[in-house]
Amino acid sequence: MAGNQKKIGVLALQGAVREHVNAIETVGAQAVVVKHVEDLVNIDGLILPGGESTTMRKLIDHYQFLEPLRAFGQSGRPIFGTCAGLILLAGEVVGYEAPHIGLMSSVVERNSFGRQKDSFEVKLHAKGIGEDVAAVFIRAPHIVSVGENVEVLAEYDGRIVLARDGQYLGCSFHPELTEDVRVMKYFLTMVEQSGEKYCKSDQL
């Protein structure tokens, strides 16, 4: 089992790292806490966790992660951005002149569902994942629009909250804060299916 076990990293500069580690291990993959650029070398997929996107961007710049993260995604390995991670992953952020990592063909708006005190949990239909998927929204962004090749997987209150652009998965909510690991299983399948499309030794 260990030889075929996929390694999924969690960018551990700020945010909900431990919760993602637990979810990764629950679905049978190996979790890798990514604190240094070198940690990207031997992982098969990466999660950009929720947190505070402005703070995370400052830390990404401080530790010189920006270009290695872009190279990681462009190598074909999947990246899953949740909440603040979605903002980092988006190709455009409303009100900002430039994106952060900017890999996913989507426009994202921050803080679309109220403040921290307005946090809530709902059940969503998620295409390809299932019915009644548990979704926790905390100061969540939403996806305003997507590119022509992006598949919308879930909407809530008329807003796109889960979408896939090739090897990129963007999510407004926090599946890692529930016991429902179906979104993480979906991401693991993306990682498994991407395995033969890249060579880790050639890319970060």
Side-chain angles (χ1 to χ4, degrees):
M1 177 179 176
N4 296 323
Q5 191 178 37
K6 294 298 181 184
K7 296 180 179 178
I8 298 178
V10 184
L11 187 64
L13 300 179
Q14 191 255 357
V17 176
R18 172 49 55 185
E19 293 84 353
H20 277 295
V21 167
N22 292 339
I24 290 167
E25 293 174 345
T26 298
V27 299
Q30 179 180 344
V32 177
V33 175
V34 174
K35 293 185 177 180
H36 308 283
V37 169
E38 294 75 20
D39 297 331
L40 296 171
V41 173
N42 290 316
I43 58 175
D44 302 293
L46 176 68
I47 293 174
L48 305 174
E52 209 294 309
S53 61
T54 303
T55 301
M56 292 173 73
R57 172 57 191 271
K58 289 179 180 176
L59 292 169
I60 285 172
D61 289 342
H62 179 76
Y63 291 103
Q64 300 183 324
F65 258 105
L66 189 59
E67 291 308 321
L69 287 171
R70 286 174 174 160
F72 182 92
Q74 290 163 352
S75 76
R77 281 173 286 176
I79 299 179
F80 179 15
T82 64
C83 198
L86 166 64
I87 296 168
L88 295 175
L89 194 57
E92 184 177 339
V93 182
V94 174
Y96 288 73
E97 292 185 359
H100 298 294
I101 302 171
L103 291 170
M104 184 172 174
S105 181
S106 61
V107 179
V108 167
E109 182 170 353
R110 302 173 71 226
N111 299 330
S112 302
F113 295 95
R115 300 182 177 182
Q116 187 95 13
K117 65 180 179 60
D118 301 314
S119 302
F120 60 95
E121 179 175 351
V122 296
K123 304 288 188 182
L124 298 173
H125 165 72
K127 184 179 179 182
I129 298 175
E131 299 292 336
D132 297 327
V133 174
V136 175
F137 288 78
I138 304 172
R139 294 180 60 205
H142 85 285
I143 301 171
V144 177
S145 62
V146 295
E148 60 179 346
N149 295 320
V150 179
E151 184 176 20
V152 174
L153 301 179
E155 297 184 36
Y156 174 70
D157 197 25
R159 303 171 188 178
I160 302 169
V161 295
L162 181 64
R164 176 178 178 176
D165 177 14
Q167 72 268 36
Y168 308 123
L169 182 65
C171 180
S172 297
F173 52 88
H174 292 269
E176 79 282 3
L177 297 181
T178 75
E179 295 182 353
D180 187 339
V181 294
R182 285 178 288 175
V183 178
M184 185 61 72
K185 284 183 178 177
Y186 182 88
F187 182 63
L188 176 58
T189 300
M190 289 174 58
V191 172
E192 291 170 342
Q193 292 175 343
S194 73
E196 298 179 357
K197 298 179 182 177
Y198 65 88
C199 177
K200 284 186 284 189
S201 62
D202 292 340
Q203 303 283 346
L204 264 176

